[in-house]
Amino acid sequence: MKIFAVYNIKGGVGKTTTSVNLSCLSAADGSRTLLWDLDPQGGASYYMCVKTKIKGGSEQLLKRRFKVTDAVKMTGYPNLDLLPSDLSNRRMDFIMHNKKKPLEVLEKQIKPLRKQYDHLFLDCPPDLSMVAENVFNIADVLLVPLIPTTLSLRAYNKLVRFLVKNRTNKRLKVLPFFNQVNLTKPIHRVVTRNVREKHPIFLADPIIDSNIIEAMGIKRAPIFNYANDSEEAESFRSLWREIKERTHQEK
Ligand SMILES: Nc1ncnc2c1ncn2[C@@H]1O[C@H](COP(=O)(O)OP(=O)(O)O)[C@@H](O)[C@H]1O
Ligand SMILES: [Mg+2]
């Protein structure tokens, strides 16, 4: 099972939008895919219209009162399941801190999932919390959406420095990309151009700032459900293709 975490220290940058759309594309490829909504705000669960929450909350899950596989919900999309979130996810950090091995909590949780799924997508909450450190520990790929501003780049550099210093998981591949790009804004033009010249690690295809993408909040669905032929849907497909190429996926 390959683990793709969609993460940024900052909120509102497109983590949930990206994890919902990419997990759909992964499932459409025929890969058995699970999307785990780790954010207490539950955006991914909302977009996927999965109402049922985990019995007793994620607190019971982390305390291993029941198996993680029992908490998985079907989404109605072939090959795509969801582990929903609720407000109790905000206590995840606290619960992890109280464990003997706080950095290995998620690693233990996902063990039973490894055989059942080809891909696990983690829609992460913002912040450099214990949840994030657990994510860094298990992920193969860290997808980092960034809005092209100088402050976003500072936050990204901070993340990279943190990973260089603290990362124990040497598999982890960090793939940043730009989202909500509006090239009529001078700062977006300057930042996207400079960064791609200096840092080829950035994925080539930026996602533009678009009402069609934002409409996911109204439609409560992945973009492919209501605007499959749009350029925006194509840009997510192109992003997914590049991610697969850069991470040596077969499908
Ligand atoms: N490319 C985009 N164009 C327009 N709106 C976007 C785009 N990406 C995300 N959004 C909107 O920005 C807001 C934050 O996105 P979201 O994916 O929830 O970010 P995060 O999970 O990082 O907090 C949402 O209202 C979402 O619809
Ligand atoms: Mg989110």
Side-chain angles (χ1 to χ4, degrees), residues 176-221:
F177 65 96
F178 288 118
N179 180 36
Q180 281 173 259
V181 177
N182 177 351
L183 291 177
T184 64
K185 292 185 177 177
I187 188 158
H188 284 210
R189 282 202 302 274
V190 171
V191 171
T192 46
R193 191 180 338 116
N194 288 351
V195 164
R196 291 236 54 235
E197 277 167 12
K198 286 191 199 137
H199 303 279
I201 187 155
F202 270 67
L203 293 167
D205 281 316
I207 307 285
I208 59 162
D209 184 23
S210 152
N211 292 332
I212 295 181
I213 297 173
E214 198 158 27
M216 284 171 67
I218 301 163
K219 306 279 186 189
R220 291 190 67 184

Side-chain angles (χ1 to χ4, degrees), residues 73-207:
K73 311 286 176 198
M74 289 195 300
T75 61
Y77 299 91
N79 299 321
L80 181 58
D81 289 342
L82 180 93
L83 241 159
S85 157
D86 56 55
L87 261 185
S88 71
N89 274 44
R90 76 199 155 83
R91 284 176 52 79
M92 260 192 180
D93 220 54
F94 173 75
I95 297 164
M96 285 171 172
H97 272 287
N98 285 328
K99 295 270 186 182
K100 265 196 215 119
K101 293 182 177 170
L103 286 173
E104 291 170 24
V105 178
L106 280 189
E107 195 174 336
K108 282 199 187 117
Q109 286 284 330
I110 61 163
K111 258 190 195 144
L113 302 172
R114 285 198 180 272
K115 277 197 191 121
Q116 289 193 19
Y117 295 98
D118 302 308
H119 292 159
L120 170 63
F121 282 81
L122 302 171
D123 183 22
C124 302
D127 286 337
L128 257 175
S129 58
M130 187 57 76
V131 176
E133 288 199 62
N134 268 264
V135 166
F136 303 154
N137 216 13
I138 59 169
D140 298 286
V141 185
L142 199 67
L143 298 168
V144 187
L146 290 162
I147 298 171
T149 63
T150 36
L151 277 186
S152 299
L153 281 184
R154 282 194 70 210
Y156 172 69
N157 288 330
K158 213 167 156 182
L159 167 66
V160 171
R161 279 198 298 276
F162 178 88
L163 290 173
V164 168
K165 220 168 147 189
N166 300 290
R167 156 168 64 175
T168 49
N169 164 13
K170 301 293 177 208
R171 282 188 328 277
L172 185 67
K173 190 176 177 99
V174 181
L175 290 179
F177 65 96
F178 288 118
N179 180 36
Q180 281 173 259
V181 177
N182 177 351
L183 291 177
T184 64
K185 292 185 177 177
I187 188 158
H188 284 210
R189 282 202 302 274
V190 171
V191 171
T192 46
R193 191 180 338 116
N194 288 351
V195 164
R196 291 236 54 235
E197 277 167 12
K198 286 191 199 137
H199 303 279
I201 187 155
F202 270 67
L203 293 167
D205 281 316
I207 307 285

Side-chain angles (χ1 to χ4, degrees), residues 22-39:
L22 295 188
S23 57
C24 278
L25 289 174
S26 157
D29 283 343
S31 302
R32 297 166 303 164
T33 305
L34 176 65
L35 170 58
W36 190 347
D37 186 355
L38 285 169
D39 191 340

